[in-house]
Amino acid sequence: MDGLFSQVAVLGSSGVLLCAIAILWRHGVSGYISAFQLQSNVLAVLTAAVAYFGHDHDLYWVAAMMIAVKGVAIPRLLTRLAHRVGQTHDSEPIVNAATSLIISGLLILLAYTAARPLQALSAAPTRAGIPLAIGLIFVSLFVIVSRKQAISQVIGFLMLENGIALLAVLATYGVPLVVELGVFLDALMGFLVMQIVLYDIHDTFNTIDVDVLKRLKH
């Protein structure tokens, strides 16, 4: 049973990570949103699988909330935000697609090195997925720094939050339900605040391109 549990953990973690890598060669904001939505749903399914194999019924509630908040609510709010600011395509990223994929591969290799101490300490059947979770965190940080549009950086931040949630699920089978509720509430409130800030920036400067906003200082 532990062998099947480990394979499910690695398969699910790989799917979550691939959704983040998919952003690196796409330029449409709708594609970014779809990738984040798919990633959140895959993460929810993986969380439900950990609940089943780990006999932790609280994680079923966590998976349900993940689908409701990250799989439905936030993607809809992101779509509305993109239409409101007229941002359906991202501008040319700071790093091109081919180089981005190479860098993401190197970051994942770095994640495997960084995860060795954690894997050595953990006896959980899910420990084989820990390097993929850390790789997702690194790739999400790279998405944030390599995109020019503020809405793309927000999606990168949301994927970073998914990476932290994935690491928590794999390393400790999640945290207590009340803490998870607080995390979901913080993520939703943080997104709503970022949405309001983006609305104000767009209404004031008629753009959310970070490069254009930097030039306004001069």
Side-chain angles (χ1 to χ4, degrees):
M1 183 65 80
D2 281 357
L4 177 61
F5 189 8
S6 178
Q7 290 179 41
V8 169
V10 171
L11 181 64
S13 302
S14 301
V16 174
L17 177 59
L18 284 174
C19 291
I21 294 175
I23 279 187
L24 297 175
W25 74 77
R26 305 191 70 168
H27 293 293
V29 173
S30 61
Y32 293 175
I33 296 171
S34 298
F36 168 70
Q37 185 174 30
L38 179 60
Q39 182 188 64
S40 299
N41 289 331
V42 173
L43 178 57
V45 171
L46 176 59
T47 303
V50 172
Y52 174 76
F53 286 105
H55 306 292
D56 185 344
H57 298 295
D58 284 349
L59 283 179
Y60 286 120
W61 289 104
V62 173
M65 287 187 294
M66 202 173 284
I67 291 176
V69 175
K70 295 180 178 178
V72 177
I74 290 180
R76 288 185 179 180
L77 291 171
L78 280 169
T79 301
R80 189 173 69 178
L81 172 63
H83 288 296
R84 166 76 181 273
V85 300
Q87 193 66 58
T88 56
H89 287 81
D90 198 2
S91 54
E92 190 65 24
I94 297 172
V95 183
N96 64 37
T99 306
S100 293
L101 291 174
I102 293 172
I103 292 175
S104 66
L106 294 174
L107 289 173
I108 293 168
L109 289 176
L110 177 63
Y112 269 89
T113 302
R116 283 181 181 173
L118 279 176
Q119 286 183 292
L121 291 174
S122 176
T126 53
R127 62 183 181 278
I130 290 176
L132 299 170
I134 295 176
L136 173 59
I137 293 172
F138 288 167
V139 171
S140 299
L141 287 170
F142 177 66
V143 169
I144 293 172
V145 301
S146 64
R147 305 291 113 171
K148 290 182 179 178
Q149 296 293 336
I151 189 170
S152 308
Q153 295 177 343
V154 168
I155 294 172
F157 171 79
L158 292 169
M159 287 190 163
L160 172 64
E161 205 279 327
N162 273 352
I164 294 171
L166 176 62
L167 182 60
V169 168
L170 294 175
T172 66
Y173 292 0
V175 293
L177 183 60
V178 66
V179 178
E180 292 283 3
L181 285 172
V183 171
F184 279 117
L185 185 60
D186 285 346
L188 185 59
M189 292 303 295
F191 172 75
L192 292 176
V193 169
M194 286 188 283
Q195 181 181 242
I196 292 170
V197 170
L198 287 180
Y199 280 157
D200 286 343
I201 291 174
H202 182 265
D203 291 343
T204 303
F205 301 107
N206 201 33
T207 182
I208 55 172
D209 189 307
V210 175
D211 275 355
V212 175
L213 294 174
K214 285 179 180 177
R215 287 197 294 269
L216 293 177
K217 294 191 301 183
H218 303 292

